[in-house]
Amino acid sequence: MTKIRKVIIADDERLVRVGLMHTVDWERWNMEVVGNAPNGEMAWELYEQLRPDLVITDIVMPRMDGIQLAAKIKAANPEAKILFLSCHSDFAYAQQGMELGASGYLLKTAMDSETVDRYLMKITEEWNRTSTPSVDDTNAMYRTWYTEGRNSEQLNQTIGQHLDRLSAEGVILFGLFGLHEESQQLLLQKLEEYGGTDHACDITPIFHLHAEGAPFVIIAPSSDAERLTPLLLDCSNANKAVIWKKTDRLMSSSDFMEEISRMMKTAELERQYEYRTDAVSAPIMKAVIYIDEHLDEPIVSSQLAESIGLSRSHFSTLFKKELGVSFLEFLHRRRLSKASELLVQTDWRINLIGEKVGMEDNKHFSKWFKGYTGMTPSEFRENKRATKSNK
């Protein structure tokens, strides 16, 4: 549900305080005035007691002026928002306030509801930018982490917000595959309606990459997860191409990221090999992820089987049954896909690309690549770039 932001008003003129409290539509901005004070000292006491998100304060007040008050508040909480009021148009007042990080400066003589609303809109937008990364920002962070293996403080903070905001009992992730953009928007609307019901469920779509085949991922408290089932069944029944998968309960950010990785890998496999991975077991998926992360190294099936707790024969049988190709053929396809991608997207030397897919011998790499594509790596690169330039 939407967070209600707390506001206090400090001004030595009672009419100004009362006027702001009763003429501004605070509910429109998801704000609530929780206190008011006639001087700076009382305002500071109120701040310590109520910890508001926004303080609207006169600059010239007895027993502590607004500049001093704002400085103390910013020292205690740099994220707190300050909006100054004054009867003075002197630039020095405004400059002092802005240097403290205030969000605005209102002249009482020119103040009307439209002007106040404009500042409240600005402050709301500031909150939205800093407290909740946009969908595109979050997607970019996850994509960077997934493709480049680079974590970031902001990504960790985002994950922490998702987990901390929900209950200590853990969370469940739902991944939907094959959900087109139009269906995504419809689901977002239904989730918003669902989250607004009286059971106060906090369900957030955290991740829906704008890319073909990418998963649409939803995070929900584990206690509320079952309530989502009818909604997701409606989605899959309306479109038979859509499937959805649910994780076990997750308690840590590392588990969270592991499951995100698994879902993205699942989507990638389905897109590249045109089959569904809902029947792929956890050990085989673990093997697939290992293969992708170690394409530049020798990968021996017996060692890989042992690492996931299977015998070599059982691993080979299960791999072929679930993925439709042998382990060796799958490995070759993944290396071919990676080599093709690097040839088109980089200017790396051919021998370096060969090393990146586990083939240090340049002649062997060229022969192997031509056996699959009918072209040498150099011919493949030239052909793809020529085709691209002609479009």
Side-chain angles (χ1 to χ4, degrees):
M1 298 178 68
T2 304
K3 178 180 179 180
I4 303 299
R5 302 282 185 171
K6 294 185 291 186
V7 181
I8 63 172
I9 300 170
D11 196 295
D12 58 346
E13 297 182 55
R14 183 176 180 276
L15 285 178
V16 173
R17 301 197 308 273
V18 171
L20 281 171
M21 289 166 60
H22 296 290
T23 60
V24 175
D25 185 359
W26 297 103
E27 187 176 350
R28 174 187 176 188
W29 304 109
N30 296 313
M31 300 181 197
E32 178 185 5
V33 178
V34 294
N36 69 93
N39 60 63
E41 283 187 4
M42 291 183 67
W44 173 245
E45 291 174 4
L46 268 181
Y47 178 82
E48 289 190 300
Q49 176 188 345
L50 301 172
R51 290 285 168 172
D53 303 282
L54 168 63
V55 177
I56 301 177
T57 177
D58 190 8
I59 288 182
V60 181
M61 291 187 298
R63 295 168 57 182
M64 184 191 297
D65 65 33
I67 298 294
Q68 294 170 314
L69 172 64
K72 292 190 72 168
I73 290 172
K74 281 292 188 179
N77 178 17
E79 301 303 317
K81 300 297 181 184
I82 307 290
L83 186 58
F84 283 116
L85 303 172
S86 180
C87 291
H88 302 273
S89 58
D90 190 337
F91 176 73
Y93 284 102
Q95 188 176 34
Q96 277 184 284
M98 294 306 105
E99 287 175 354
L100 286 170
S103 295
Y105 179 92
L106 284 168
L107 283 174
K108 295 181 188 179
T109 53
M111 185 173 62
D112 54 30
S113 59
E114 186 175 320
T115 305
V116 176
D117 278 349
R118 188 163 60 248
Y119 275 105
L120 295 182
M121 177 186 293
K122 175 179 180 288
I123 289 168
T124 298
E125 289 173 350
E126 289 174 2
W127 277 326
N128 289 339
R129 283 196 300 271
T130 56
S131 64
T132 306
S134 70
V135 168
D136 287 340
D137 288 342
T138 304
N139 287 344
M141 284 189 287
Y142 278 106
R143 172 57 72 182
T144 299
W145 162 76
Y146 178 71
T147 57
E148 301 178 20
R150 286 195 291 109
N151 214 335
S152 70
E153 185 176 339
Q154 188 179 11
L155 179 55
N156 287 330
Q157 184 179 0
T158 301
I159 296 168
Q161 287 173 355
H162 291 320
L163 298 180
D164 293 344
R165 191 184 63 248
L166 304 178
S167 62
E169 68 196 39
V171 300
I172 302 289
L173 296 182
F174 293 86
L176 286 88
F177 300 82
L179 196 66
H180 296 298
E181 189 170 348
E182 186 177 329
S183 300
Q184 288 182 5
Q185 294 304 317
L186 181 60
L187 181 56
L188 279 168
Q189 183 179 345
K190 289 186 176 180
L191 283 171
E192 186 176 347
E193 295 169 359
Y194 184 86
T197 58
D198 57 9
H199 56 67
C201 173
D202 190 353
I203 297 173
T204 308
I206 57 162
F207 186 72
H208 55 293
L209 287 170
H210 301 296
E212 183 183 354
F216 181 102
V217 181
I218 301 167
I219 179 174
S222 57
S223 60
D224 236 354
E226 293 307 316
R227 300 186 186 186
L228 270 176
T229 301
L231 187 61
L232 300 180
L233 282 173
D234 285 345
C235 279
S236 57
N237 288 337
N239 184 350
K240 298 302 181 183
V242 174
I243 59 171
W244 58 276
K245 301 164 188 180
K246 183 177 77 171
T247 69
D248 293 328
R249 184 172 61 170
L250 308 176
M251 298 297 294
S252 69
S253 58
S254 60
D255 290 342
F256 184 98
M257 295 302 283
E258 185 177 338
E259 288 298 335
I260 290 288
S261 177
R262 181 184 172 93
M263 285 183 177
M264 292 186 70
K265 185 61 63 183
T266 296
E268 184 180 348
L269 291 172
E270 290 181 350
R271 185 172 65 254
Q272 290 195 4
Y273 294 99
E274 298 183 351
Y275 62 76
R276 287 197 170 175
T277 56
D278 43 320
V280 177
S281 61
I284 297 302
M285 180 58 75
K286 187 175 180 181
V288 166
I289 292 173
Y290 180 89
I291 290 169
D292 269 16
E293 292 176 351
H294 298 83
L295 285 175
D296 59 340
E297 303 172 10
I299 301 176
V300 181
S301 62
S302 58
Q303 294 175 350
L304 182 53
E306 184 179 356
S307 72
I308 60 174
L310 299 176
S311 68
R312 180 179 178 179
S313 59
H314 187 201
F315 170 70
S316 297
T317 301
L318 195 60
F319 198 100
K320 178 72 178 289
K321 178 182 177 182
E322 294 188 2
L323 298 186
V325 293
S326 69
F327 159 77
L328 192 59
E329 181 62 20
F330 183 86
L331 176 60
H332 283 314
R333 289 188 185 184
R334 300 304 284 168
R335 283 179 165 156
L336 180 66
S337 176
K338 182 68 173 179
S340 300
E341 178 184 323
L342 293 175
L343 284 166
V344 173
Q345 297 182 4
T346 75
D347 292 317
W348 292 356
R349 299 188 311 274
I350 302 300
N351 64 321
L352 178 57
I353 293 175
E355 291 174 10
K356 290 293 182 181
V357 294
M359 299 182 192
E360 295 185 3
D361 187 302
N362 194 31
K363 288 184 179 180
H364 173 65
F365 172 57
S366 293
K367 183 178 180 181
W368 171 84
F369 191 88
K370 187 172 183 178
Y372 273 95
T373 65
M375 293 179 279
T376 65
S378 298
E379 290 169 344
F380 179 87
R381 172 179 273 172
E382 292 172 6
N383 180 272
K384 289 294 182 181
R385 291 184 174 180
T387 301
K388 186 176 181 180
S389 63
N390 289 332
K391 286 184 177 180

